[in-house]
Amino acid sequence: MIPSPKIFGLIGYPVTHSLSPLMHNAAFKALNLDARYGLFELKPQELENFLKSLSKKNIYGLNVTIPYKEQVIPFLDRISAQAGLIGAVNTIRALQDKLEGFNTDGEGFLKHLTEDLGFSPEGKTVSVIGAGGAAKAVTVYLAKAGVKRVTIYDTQEEKLKNLLAHLKASFKGTEFNQAHSIEGLKINNSDLLVNATPIGMKEADPLIVSEGQMHRGLLVYDLIYNPKETKLLKLAREKGAMVSSGLGMLLYQGMLSFEIWTGKIAPKEIMRKALEDKLC
Ligand code: NAP
């Protein structure tokens, strides 16, 4: 019998624009692993049966994206402390019919921020636009890393209030504030601005900050990685702020998932090149 490759992949709806297959398949090839990474677009009613039949499909690991990062949790046998704190799972490991959930988004963001960009979060003041799943992962990790103050704005007030309540209950050493507008974020007094909304992905999207809010000494981190330079990043760069797209976060969260699944050190430069080649 010909041994079949181990299967890994991404579940979500939709998943067609994902760059994860490029990054992970390049890594499998570089390490000579008999494994493939594919895309699984699942309708909500298909999720449970899919997760219950991973071993039949030879699936050893999954990434999870919108809208299933929270919805998968009831079907898992255990989740990591980090995934519990974030309340969402972006990585599943299937081991001997047991499913374990992890979250590598926040750690991936923090690793890129500290290791590649040289930003030290301790004692810093941070403004965040968006209070969805990505903002939750990012703010949990910024708080863990000792930021002094986090102010968040989201058009969905209920979602924002829930996130703030969760953060305040979990991290006593950080001050958390609600902004009622972009102006209320007080970006002028911040060291770091994170865009955790999808605004900027489309050409027609508006610029959601104003020129006067950009300043030298500010790092603007846009979680969006396609396009490589959003209108927000362009303005920030022109005004002398430091800038980063979300490509580094994508890379590091992928490397962490790869290491959870394979137990091997992820080939960073190979994975980075796979992403950059596609986005150039
Ligand atoms: P999400 O759950 O939809 O959260 C985004 C939040 O921002 C929503 O509550 C949304 O409200 C709000 N929002 C939209 N426009 C706004 C505005 N003008 N001002 C204030 N708030 C606004 O999305 P997510 O999963 O957190 O992802 C957010 C972004 O991060 C996406 O672009 C995603 O691709 C990116 N991301 C990147 C990485 C990476 O590795 N680089 C990882 C995860 C996510 P509505 O629902 O009303 O629109």
Side-chain angles (χ1 to χ4, degrees), residues 66 129-134 153-156 159 196-199 201 208 223-225 246 249-250:
I66 290 173
I129 316 174
Y153 170 62
D154 193 295
T155 41
Q156 304 242 11
K159 205 190 267 186
T197 77
I199 306 296
M201 288 173 84
I208 47 178
L223 298 196
I224 293 169
Y225 49 81
M249 174 175 171
L250 180 71

Side-chain angles (χ1 to χ4, degrees), residues 5 14-15 44 78 140 151 180 190 226 232 241 263 267-268 270 273 279:
V15 292
R78 64 170 288 270
V140 161
T151 306
H180 296 277
S190 292
N226 192 10
L232 168 66
K268 179 175 172 183
I270 299 238
K273 188 170 181 314
L279 290 172

Side-chain angles (χ1 to χ4, degrees), residues 5-276:
K6 288 186 175 180
I7 304 297
F8 297 85
L10 172 68
I11 59 170
Y13 194 86
V15 292
T16 37
H17 298 297
S18 171
L19 299 182
S20 292
L22 287 172
M23 165 167 67
H24 287 294
N25 284 323
F28 291 143
K29 195 171 166 205
L31 269 59
N32 223 358
L33 299 175
D34 190 16
R36 305 280 179 278
Y37 188 104
L39 296 176
F40 302 102
E41 192 159 279
L42 301 179
K43 297 196 177 79
Q45 63 272 25
E46 296 170 333
L47 182 67
E48 182 172 0
N49 277 342
F50 186 87
L51 290 173
K52 284 184 174 159
S53 60
L54 296 187
S55 60
K56 277 193 216 136
K57 299 185 177 76
N58 214 27
I59 294 175
Y60 285 75
L62 291 169
N63 283 131
V64 185
T65 190
I66 290 173
Y68 300 132
K69 286 187 181 185
E70 291 162 4
Q71 293 178 35
V72 295
I73 293 176
F75 306 119
L76 305 179
D77 295 291
R78 64 170 288 270
I79 64 168
S80 70
Q82 286 88 340
L85 198 54
I86 296 167
V89 161
N90 81 330
T91 302
I92 295 173
R93 176 169 63 190
L95 214 57
Q96 287 150 2
D97 273 339
K98 293 269 180 257
L99 303 186
E100 296 171 272
F102 304 83
N103 193 310
T104 65
D105 280 335
E107 192 179 346
F109 167 79
L110 192 71
K111 269 181 164 285
H112 181 232
L113 189 72
T114 54
E115 293 179 17
D116 283 9
L117 303 176
F119 183 94
S120 168
E122 205 172 345
K124 296 291 188 337
T125 296
V126 184
S127 303
V128 180
I129 316 174
K136 198 168 179 186
V138 161
T139 50
V140 161
Y141 268 77
L142 284 170
K144 270 163 71 101
V147 292
K148 183 172 154 203
R149 188 178 298 117
V150 178
T151 306
I152 313 175
Y153 170 62
D154 193 295
T155 41
Q156 304 242 11
E157 194 157 323
E158 195 60 27
K159 205 190 267 186
L160 174 53
K161 282 194 187 311
N162 288 338
L163 174 57
L164 286 168
H166 174 71
L167 290 168
K168 283 178 187 174
S170 309
F171 299 98
K172 301 295 179 197
T174 300
E175 176 189 322
F176 297 100
N177 302 305
Q178 173 177 0
H180 296 277
S181 64
I182 294 283
E183 290 67 37
L185 282 171
K186 301 200 174 79
I187 298 168
N188 286 309
N189 300 328
S190 292
D191 303 295
L192 172 66
L193 169 66
V194 180
N195 176 34
T197 77
I199 306 296
M201 288 173 84
K202 297 194 201 107
E203 178 67 34
D205 282 345
L207 183 59
I208 47 178
V209 302
S210 62
E211 261 187 51
Q213 295 170 311
M214 299 292 104
H215 57 92
R216 284 175 196 281
L218 176 71
L219 169 61
V220 180
Y221 196 116
D222 200 329
L223 298 196
I224 293 169
Y225 49 81
N226 192 10
K228 272 167 71 177
E229 187 175 67
T230 57
K231 285 178 190 164
L232 168 66
L233 292 186
K234 181 169 184 287
L235 175 72
R237 179 175 54 77
E238 286 169 356
K239 293 290 158 194
M242 293 163 289
V243 294
S244 175
S245 80
L247 194 74
M249 174 175 171
L250 180 71
L251 170 65
Y252 276 98
Q253 64 77 31
M255 287 171 59
L256 291 162
S257 298
F258 184 93
E259 290 172 1
I260 288 169
W261 296 327
T262 65
K264 298 186 188 303
I265 293 172
K268 179 175 172 183
E269 291 316 319
I270 299 238
M271 294 171 83
R272 186 202 300 278
K273 188 170 181 314
L275 294 174
E276 284 177 349

